[in-house]
Every structure is written in structure tokens, then in C-alpha cells.
Amino acid sequence: MQKHLLYVVLTLVSLSITQAQKPKTPSSSEIYESIQKLNFLGSVLYVAAHPDDENTRLISYMSNHIKARTAYLSLTRGDGGQNLIGPELRELLGVIRTQELLAARRVDGGEQLFTRANDFGYSKHPDETLEIWDKDKVLSDVVLAIRNFKPDIIINRFDHRTPGRTHGHHTTSAMLSMEAFDLANNKTAYPEQLDRTSPWEPKRLFYNTSWWRYGSKEAFDKVDKTNMITFDIGTYYPLKGMSNNELAALASSQHLCQGFGRLSQRGSQTEYIEFLKGTPLENNENIFSGINTTWSRIEGGKAIGTILYNIEENFNFKNPSAHIPALLEAYKLLQKIDNTHWKTLKTKELKVIIEMCAGLYLEASASTNWATAGDVVDVSLEVLNRSETPIKLLSIANISDINMSKNINLENNTSYTFKEVLKIDDNATPTTPYWLDKKGTLGMYRVDDNTLIGKPESPRRYTVDFNLLIENTPITFTKPVIQRFSKPDKGELYRPFEIIPEASAKIKENVIIFENNHQQDITVIVKAGRDNLEGDIEICHPEDWNIYPKKQKVSIAHKGEEQTLIFTVFPPTNQSEGLISPIVHVGDKDYSKELIEIDYEHIPFQTVVLPSESKVVRLDIKKYGENIGYIQGAGDVVPESLQQIGYNVRSITPDEIDAETLSRFDAIVVGIRAYNTLDNLQFKQQQLFDFVANGGNMIVQYNTSYRLKTDNLSPYNLKLSRDRVTDENAEVRFLAPNHDVLNFPNKITQKDFEGWTQERGLYFADEWGSEFCPILSMNDKGETPKNGSLLVAKHGKGHYIYTGLSFFREFPAGVSGAYRLFANMLSLGKDDIRESLKLED
């Protein structure tokens, strides 16, 4: 039975993933639910800091049970986190997490909003957060979200009263929400916004509390709950065939890059929200008590409501198209009301319902998923009316050259197809997420176009208007140009239509490490955005570096094809670092950006255009112990980074671990969070400890203290904590300055801790046996010293090392000192080599 339930849940998840990019094909029950939502004139804004912070149970409940328009405002896009499904980090991870949030909202029925705040990594306190974020800009964005969305109810995910008890971003999101609640209706606050929005006064602000806020369920049971509203968010939806918490689990499971895929839950479950400010509650059962959520809320709305409530009460599940005449009557009345907000919002909803009831299929499919400026693209247009409703296709038009007069009566279930060409503007700029178009700061994205602030993604640039006459009522439906295609092993697929550069180039490696002054060949890949691309390419580089040849010819016959070129890089004799970037010259135009494609099945295909840069690092480094076995955990590029400095690295799985396999290596390195993610690794600990006892080195990188799959992490007592140092520039003190790990083969100094990125480290140990020697001490401002970032213990003939230092972040950033220190860790115990070196001296 349990296996059957798991199969059902996985099937539902799979359906939500495979259908996420396809046009909606709604059933009668879905049309009916849309009418229910159309008839509810109330809205809820849920506020938190990151993708995955949102309570999908409550968002789903508000959207699907209450029927309120519901949105999640995530202050950041989650750039500072980790990626469990691929190599993308930082801004590319933010692109993935943005799309995963949109996928989650497609499941739970909510909408998605953002601010310009950049997730720069873990922060311990709001004060630290607001030193890096531009508070005024982020607060402005929260105010703008409230003014645009116009929520009656705001719900904070976190408590504004407990700074320092959780992630600084979390508490800051609640603090800014509290402040924005009072500012949104103040015309003197951010008056520059009022040319594109209007003031708004939310009615109530709540905090989504729970027992964990009070430390335990027992403590929460004793709390006075007279100021709280409770919801049974386990309510069952017969029209969907699943409960609210099952639906919420499917939404949460869209956050795959964070490992949030999970089984669904069923049954009654209580959710709590605490009233914070606004209009006092009339009762503790209805979040909208005292707020008019009917059509009579707006002037002229009563007559519209009379029509639409009758449709809801007498909905024809067998033939929804029977309601089109009445829906059109409501549509015409709606166009006469003066309230711009509700008119715009409900017109959009009503048009979708009319489209669904008529079974309309309207599509503009390009022959390719991308084109370049000045291109001409074939577009297939399809129009289909699957009802007996009299509908005429008047014309088809778009912002380009397509403008076709048709005047065709659309017969029931008869497909009408047309072929046209789409002319791309000569000055069209490449498609990329708007918040990445210009370089921002550590804490803020730069968005020059104020109309884009808060939007989840860049608006589709090329759309097609289908101008219809439905029972003598003119209505225009706008559809984005997409590409619909098929693959034999996948079936029907959809991709967004994007504009790409005429030429793009990338250096294969993001960071290129030179362990000595020997030259290295680098691979540069040029991609053509059009046929017959001719030009040349050169590599910009720092003055003390040299690259040969200076230029090479680029010649690519067909668009989409790539040309690979090899350049030789000559490093300086001394330690140095800098950036190199390819520039493609085509005629009088230069192209210096990289075209990045992100392709995962659970989110739409993403095209990102970013400056093409690679870091080159000439290291002053020595190393011993050549053969490394790497046990991959949650995903990092540490193996590739070690290979760049000359180590022979082989990835091994827990199943491969035995004495014979381990005997081939000088050291075993365990990837980040391996003891959180690999079930079988716990059964291999003794073989690993025996490897150490026989003379090998074992380096265990950070694991979270929560959900460790073994209590036997080390051959000696070792307990992990949540200690971390988030200031990447925090002072590093040497507790054991004479220890080999700080002296051989590389002399580690304070300079080796310069230029670290995002943090010093995380999940340090806070308890260890006397066998361990703590090497470093560090702490964030105002905190006590943390000494568990790097611990070394002699075990038999070898060494066991636990480190919470964030090598997985520093290696991709090309931080010299991180490489030098890691080489020392791998070189521990090479006393014979050290002694021979002394004799040579």
C-alpha cells in the first residue's frame, strides 16, 4: 500500500512537471473553480525572503479553499544557496529558483512577486542584512508590491520581533513588511511610484506562527491564542481529487534544486496566523471578516455579480459553453466600471474563462526557439473553436509585420492554420532575465526599467493578437510566440521563443588554475546565432599574462553550430590573478557575452546572456599525495578544481568503497553534505577509518547538523553545530601556528584568507575529542570565537580532517589561499618527503 501511495504522488508530480510548459487544457471542474475565484474579490499577500520559505499549505488554502487571489512576495531569488541538481550557482541558480517558484505557483494557484534584493548568502542578523541590501530600495519594492497587488491581507512568514534568532534575511522580510504596511497608503512615501500605480491600504497584517516559534509543542499549547486564527489546511477538494496538503506538497516539490521533493500528507492539519496590526478582527474564524469580497465591493459590480453568481450556482459541467452568452454580458458590463484595478484584473480572468468555455485553442509556434536581430522566422498559427458558439476570426496581428485580415467563421472543432513570417527588429537585444541585464552589487540587482521591478521574469517580447468576434462581442486574446516541437523519446515539447546574439563565445573553464609557470591550452567555443557567420576572435587578458595567437578566424556555416578554438595561455612567473574574456568581431560589431542555456524538465527552458569572463590564477603552490578519491555529496566542483592543480581525482560511490579500492588513493575527500544525502555511506565508515589508520588522509567537508545519516561521523568524538561565520572578511586567527597543515608544503599566512567569497564557512564542529587539534579561530562581529572550522586528528598512520570552511565556494571563485590550504590538508603525513627535502637543503 505504501509503495502504491508513493507511485501516485510521484505520478502527480510528474504530471505537474511535464505539463508545466504546455498550454492549459482545463476540465469542466477547473473552469468551475475559475468561476468561483472570479466571484471572490479579495486578495492575500504572503511575504518571506527566499524561494522555499513560502508556506505552500497556506498559499494553497487561501487560493483554493478561500478562493482569494494569492501571491507570494519573495524578497530574493535564492542566488546564495546551493544546487542539488546541477552545476549552476549564484545568478544562474537564482534563475532556476525563480522558475521553480513559478512552477510551484502553477500548482498551488498563487502568483509570484520579487524585490531587487540579492541573496548574498547566510546572514545572522537584520543589521548585517541591511548593511548589504539597500534598505530604502528593498522597502520601496515591498511598498510597490503592495500598491500593485493591492492585498486586503498580508501574512508574514517570519517574526519581526526576534532578530538574531533566524536567518537575517528572514527577520528583515518581516520587518520591512511591517513598515511597508503603514507606508503603502501614504502618498508622500515613494511618490515616484504613483505615476504607474496608486496608494493602497491593506486591512490586516498577520504572522504565520507555529509551535516552533515557542520552542516546543508543549510551550505552544500554553500560549494565549485569542489573537490568532486557525485553519484546517488538510481540507479535501473533491473537484481536484486531493486534499490541500497533498496539493501543497506537490507545489513544494517543485523546489528540486534544493532537494524539496517529498511525499504528500493527508488528513487534518492546523495552521495558525497571529494578528499584528490593521482593522481588528470581528471574529477569529474568518480572515476576511468585515471585508466585502463580493461584486458589490465595486461601483457597478452588483449587476455583474448577479450574472456570475447565477453561472456559479447553475454551472453546466457537461457543456460549459452554454454559459458564454451570460459571460459575454458580464464582460461588457465590466468594461464600463471605473475601478481600474478590478476592471483590469477581472477582465483578464473573465477572458480566460470565456476562452476555456469555448474550448479555444490559439497558438503561434515559431520554426525555431531562437532568432537574432534582423532575422525572419516562419510562424505557424493555429485557431480552433471547440464549441457551437458563433465565433469569427477577424484578424491576426502582432508588434512585428504580421497583420492579417481573416473574417473567418470558426466552425466547431475545425482547425484553421496559417503560415506567416515574423520579422525580428534590427535593433532587438538578446533575451535575458531583466535583473541580470546590468551588473548590480553584492546586495542588490540593478533594474533600470522601473516597470519591470517586482515581475518574476522578463515579459515575452513577441506576441500575437487573435482578434475574435464571439457572439458579436469583439475580444482579443494575446498569445506569446513559442516553439512547439517533438522528440521521439520525449513526445511533444514547448520552448519559449528567445532572441540571442549574432555571435556568442565562452571559455570552457570558469576558473583556470596554473600551479606553476607552464603554459596551458584553453578551449574557446563560439556559437553562431545566424547562418554564414564570419569574423575573428581575440582574448582580452591582464598585462602580465600572454595569449597566443592574438587572433583567430571564426567561420560557421549554420546558425546554432559551434566552432571550437584553442588558445595558449602563458602565465607570469609569480603569483597573479585576473580575468580573461573572449571578444568576437563580426563586421563593425563586437560580441563579448556568453549564451547560457538552462534545460531541466521541471521548468521551462531558460536562455541567459551574461558577460563571458574566466578567472586565471597563477598559484604559488606545492603539493604531495597525487591520487584522490572523491565521494560526491550534494554537488560541488571540488573534484574538477583539484584536477586543475594537478591531482588525479576519481569519483567513487559508497558501493565502491572497500579496502582494495581505497588502497589506490593517497586521500579520500568527502563532498559537501554527503552524510546528509548518501544513505549507504554510513555503512562504509569503518572501511574509511581503516584507510586512515593505514596511512591515508580523509577530509570531510561540511555537513548539516540536521538529518545526519550517521552518528559515527569520525573515529573520535565529533559533534556538529549550526555555527558559521558569514563575514567572508572575518579575522582568522591561527590556534596551532606550528601545525603541519599551516606550514607544509605551503606556508599559510593571513594573505591566504584574503578575497574569500560569501562566507568563511558553515556548520562548524562545537564538540570534539582530545585527539583533535583545532587549527583556526574566527567569528562574526559581536560573537564568541568559533574554533571548529578546521579540526585535524592523527588516526593510526593517517589523518582524519573535518572542515566547515567553504572550499566549495572558494574554488569556483579561484581563491588562491583556499587551494594552498587544501593542498596542505592533502599533504599531511608525507613526513618522508618533508625529511628528504630538509636533507636536500
Side-chain angles (χ1 to χ4, degrees):
M1 181 64 179
Q2 190 173 13
K3 288 184 178 179
H4 173 70
L5 290 174
L6 176 61
Y7 172 78
V8 170
V9 171
L10 290 176
T11 300
L12 289 169
V13 172
S14 175
L15 286 172
S16 72
I17 288 173
T18 57
Q19 296 178 3
Q21 302 168 47
K22 295 184 179 181
K24 289 183 178 180
T25 53
S27 64
S28 291
S29 61
E30 289 172 308
I31 299 173
Y32 175 70
E33 288 181 299
S34 296
I35 293 171
Q36 289 180 309
K37 288 187 178 183
L38 179 70
N39 284 336
F40 190 93
L41 279 69
S43 51
V44 177
L45 181 66
Y46 197 87
V47 181
H50 309 108
D52 84 5
D53 283 346
E54 82 272 29
N55 183 342
T56 55
R57 299 183 303 274
L58 195 52
I59 290 175
S60 178
Y61 183 88
M62 291 296 161
S63 176
N64 296 290
H65 181 75
I66 302 294
K67 305 300 181 185
R69 183 188 181 212
T70 308
Y72 172 42
L73 173 60
S74 176
L75 267 59
T76 77
R77 297 176 185 266
D79 302 51
Q82 293 163 33
N83 185 358
L84 301 187
I85 61 173
E88 297 87 359
L89 292 174
R90 292 304 305 157
E91 63 270 12
L92 296 181
L93 178 59
V95 172
I96 292 174
R97 291 190 170 184
T98 293
Q99 292 300 321
E100 289 184 339
L101 277 172
L102 290 170
R105 300 294 80 79
R106 285 191 288 270
V107 174
D108 61 32
E111 300 176 36
Q112 187 60 52
L113 303 171
F114 291 97
T115 76
R116 287 170 289 175
N118 192 344
D119 178 5
F120 56 83
Y122 191 85
S123 172
K124 293 182 177 178
H125 197 279
D127 291 347
E128 179 191 21
T129 298
L130 293 174
E131 285 178 2
I132 299 175
W133 287 353
D134 185 325
K135 179 189 174 182
D136 188 63
K137 288 182 179 177
V138 182
L139 178 59
S140 165
D141 292 356
V142 179
V143 170
L144 182 63
I146 294 172
R147 287 172 171 175
N148 283 341
F149 190 74
K150 302 192 184 311
D152 299 301
I153 306 298
I154 297 177
I155 302 175
N156 290 345
R157 182 69 178 103
F158 299 104
D159 192 348
H160 65 286
R161 299 160 294 194
T162 56
R165 286 183 55 179
T166 182
H167 197 318
H169 297 180
H170 292 170
T171 311
T172 301
S173 71
M175 293 167 59
L176 294 180
S177 176
M178 289 284 290
E179 197 169 342
F181 182 90
D182 296 324
L183 293 176
N185 199 41
N186 183 348
K187 293 182 180 180
T188 64
Y190 307 108
E192 69 280 0
Q193 296 179 357
L194 300 182
D195 61 349
R196 60 187 190 278
T197 188
S198 59
W200 180 254
E201 183 177 16
K203 300 300 186 294
R204 297 187 181 106
L205 177 64
F206 294 89
Y207 159 51
N208 186 190
T209 190
S210 180
W211 65 263
W212 44 260
R213 161 69 174 80
Y214 298 89
S216 68
K217 293 181 179 179
E218 292 74 20
F220 187 54
D221 289 340
K222 300 175 183 177
V223 172
D224 180 6
K225 298 181 179 61
T226 56
N227 210 31
M228 296 182 187
I229 294 180
T230 61
F231 308 98
D232 181 359
I233 50 84
T235 184
Y236 180 68
Y237 303 129
L239 290 174
K240 296 180 183 296
M242 67 175 71
S243 62
N244 184 77
N245 39 19
E246 288 177 291
L247 192 65
L250 289 176
S252 180
S253 291
Q254 304 308 303
H255 295 296
L256 295 182
C257 76
Q258 300 182 74
F260 268 46
R262 61 188 177 95
L263 287 173
S264 60
Q265 296 176 325
R266 286 155 292 279
S268 180
Q269 188 174 351
T270 303
E271 196 73 45
Y272 298 85
I273 59 172
E274 175 190 354
F275 175 76
L276 296 178
K277 63 165 65 174
T279 306
L281 291 163
E282 295 183 2
N283 61 67
N284 278 31
E285 295 180 358
N286 183 3
I287 192 173
F288 283 97
S289 64
I291 300 173
N292 186 357
T293 59
T294 70
W295 277 99
S296 64
R297 175 174 188 161
I298 55 177
E299 186 176 352
K302 188 174 181 180
I304 300 171
T306 299
I307 297 170
L308 296 177
Y309 293 136
N310 182 64
I311 294 175
E312 180 180 346
E313 185 176 349
N314 300 286
F315 185 71
N316 188 333
F317 284 88
K318 290 185 177 180
N319 181 23
S321 65
H323 298 296
I324 290 178
L327 289 169
L328 290 170
E329 184 181 352
Y331 173 82
K332 287 183 284 189
L333 289 174
L334 184 57
Q335 306 318 300
K336 297 177 182 179
I337 70 170
D338 294 328
N339 189 305
T340 303
H341 171 69
W342 288 113
K343 178 180 177 179
T344 301
L345 179 64
K346 292 302 178 180
T347 294
K348 181 180 178 181
E349 292 181 39
L350 193 48
K351 283 173 64 175
V352 170
I353 290 171
I354 293 170
E355 182 181 2
M356 292 191 294
C357 286
L360 280 171
Y361 187 86
L362 308 169
E363 182 182 87
S365 177
S367 57
T368 176
N369 73 302
W370 47 259
T372 59
D375 240 342
V376 175
V377 179
D378 292 330
V379 177
S380 297
L381 303 163
E382 182 177 1
V383 182
L384 177 64
N385 168 25
R386 289 174 284 196
S387 73
E388 295 291 349
T389 303
I391 300 177
K392 177 180 285 189
L393 173 63
L394 297 177
S395 63
I396 300 174
N398 82 335
I399 60 175
S400 185
D401 294 337
I402 296 177
N403 195 346
M404 304 179 294
S405 179
K406 293 299 181 184
N407 290 314
I408 298 174
N409 291 316
L410 302 179
E411 300 296 332
N412 181 17
N413 211 29
T414 300
S415 178
Y416 297 83
T417 59
F418 314 96
K419 298 289 185 180
E420 283 296 327
V421 293
L422 175 65
K423 175 67 170 63
I424 307 302
D425 188 82
D426 291 336
N427 299 315
T429 56
T431 304
T432 199
Y434 72 86
W435 62 95
L436 300 179
D437 191 44
K438 298 289 178 62
K439 187 174 179 62
T441 65
L442 175 64
M444 298 296 298
Y445 296 116
R446 175 182 167 184
V447 181
D448 292 340
D449 185 348
N450 291 335
T451 65
L452 295 175
I453 294 174
K455 293 184 182 297
E457 57 184 342
S458 299
R460 293 290 97 195
R461 189 168 316 167
Y462 290 94
T463 58
V464 171
D465 292 336
F466 294 87
N467 300 310
L468 305 181
L469 194 67
I470 305 178
E471 294 207 343
N472 296 316
T473 301
I475 299 182
T476 295
F477 295 95
T478 301
K479 299 295 179 181
V481 176
I482 50 86
Q483 183 200 20
R484 179 166 64 97
F485 64 106
S486 65
K487 288 185 177 181
D489 59 335
K490 298 287 186 181
E492 188 175 62
L493 299 170
Y494 288 76
R495 281 188 174 180
F497 178 73
E498 314 280 30
I499 305 302
I500 65 170
E502 183 181 24
S504 57
K506 66 177 180 180
I507 298 172
K508 195 171 183 180
E509 299 84 9
N510 292 327
V511 177
I512 307 163
I513 304 296
F514 294 76
E515 60 169 319
N516 49 44
N517 60 1
H518 295 168
Q519 67 195 48
Q520 283 190 42
D521 289 343
I522 62 169
T523 301
V524 182
I525 301 171
V526 180
K527 184 168 186 173
R530 64 167 175 80
D531 292 340
N532 303 315
L533 183 72
E534 298 287 338
D536 55 64
I537 182 172
E538 63 178 321
I539 309 294
C540 293
H541 57 84
E543 287 186 3
D544 54 343
W545 294 69
N546 287 298
I547 295 182
Y548 178 84
K550 296 296 184 185
K551 286 187 178 182
Q552 293 196 55
K553 177 73 174 176
V554 172
S555 181
I556 306 176
H558 303 291
K559 68 178 181 180
E561 291 186 347
E562 296 177 340
Q563 181 179 350
T564 299
L565 303 109
I566 305 298
F567 286 84
T568 303
V569 180
F570 298 86
T573 55
N574 298 319
Q575 184 157 314
S576 174
E577 60 184 55
L579 296 174
I580 60 174
S581 57
I583 298 181
V584 182
H585 306 286
V586 180
D588 60 351
K589 295 182 180 179
D590 296 337
Y591 298 94
S592 59
K593 292 190 175 182
E594 174 184 358
L595 179 66
I596 302 165
E597 298 175 341
I598 301 176
D599 191 8
Y600 293 102
E601 288 189 356
H602 68 300
I603 60 174
F605 185 88
Q606 297 296 299
T607 299
V608 184
V609 179
L610 292 176
S612 182
E613 295 179 336
S614 291
K615 186 174 184 180
V616 287
V617 180
R618 164 66 170 96
L619 280 178
D620 177 13
I621 189 171
K622 299 181 181 68
K623 56 184 177 57
Y624 299 100
E626 300 299 319
N627 299 311
I628 310 299
Y630 200 87
I631 303 171
Q632 192 69 259
D636 54 58
V637 295
V638 172
E640 295 87 341
S641 300
L642 295 177
Q643 285 173 335
Q644 282 210 44
I645 58 173
Y647 285 104
N648 301 317
V649 184
R650 179 193 155 192
S651 292
I652 59 174
T653 66
D655 291 340
E656 294 178 275
I657 295 174
D658 56 36
E660 181 181 352
T661 299
L662 295 177
S663 67
R664 303 169 189 168
F665 303 111
D666 298 295
I668 297 295
V669 180
V670 182
I672 62 172
R673 296 180 60 186
Y675 290 103
N676 300 128
T677 58
L678 300 178
D679 290 324
N680 294 338
L681 187 55
Q682 60 182 310
F683 306 120
K684 301 294 185 175
Q685 288 297 83
Q686 192 55 54
Q687 288 103 315
L688 290 169
F689 297 158
D690 289 344
F691 164 77
V692 177
N694 291 327
N697 288 341
M698 179 178 177
I699 300 173
V700 177
Q701 298 178 85
Y702 99 91
N703 286 263
T704 64
S705 55
Y706 179 59
R707 289 184 177 174
L708 270 175
K709 295 184 181 294
T710 179
D711 295 325
N712 190 30
L713 191 65
S714 157
Y716 307 115
N717 178 42
L718 179 68
K719 302 297 181 185
L720 303 186
S721 70
R722 297 180 64 85
D723 289 348
R724 62 199 301 163
V725 175
T726 60
D727 182 359
E728 62 269 33
N729 299 310
E731 178 190 3
V732 177
R733 299 173 293 276
F734 295 171
L735 297 176
N738 297 321
H739 196 286
D740 280 357
V741 79
L742 295 178
N743 292 280
F744 179 78
N746 304 289
K747 178 68 175 177
I748 303 300
T749 68
Q750 291 295 330
K751 187 174 179 60
D752 289 296
F753 291 94
E754 294 177 3
W756 283 52
T757 181
Q758 190 161 327
E759 63 195 352
R760 289 293 190 200
L762 63 170
Y763 290 96
F764 297 168
D766 66 347
E767 179 183 324
W768 53 85
S770 59
E771 296 87 354
F772 282 102
C773 177
I775 305 299
L776 305 173
S777 178
M778 59 190 73
N779 56 271
D780 282 320
K781 183 179 178 181
E783 294 191 352
T784 58
K786 304 296 185 288
N787 298 341
S789 65
L790 179 57
L791 303 173
V792 181
K794 193 81 164 64
H795 181 60
K797 299 177 182 178
H799 294 82
Y800 176 96
I801 303 165
Y802 177 81
T803 179
L805 295 172
S806 57
F807 292 103
F808 72 101
R809 295 198 191 279
E810 311 317 317
F811 285 176
V815 177
S816 302
Y819 281 93
R820 285 162 46 83
L821 178 56
F822 210 94
N824 281 13
M825 292 157 55
L826 292 169
S827 301
L828 280 174
K830 308 304 178 185
D831 296 330
D832 53 339
I833 297 174
R834 186 170 189 176
E835 289 304 317
S836 66
L837 290 174
K838 287 181 180 179
L839 290 174
E840 290 177 9
D841 292 341

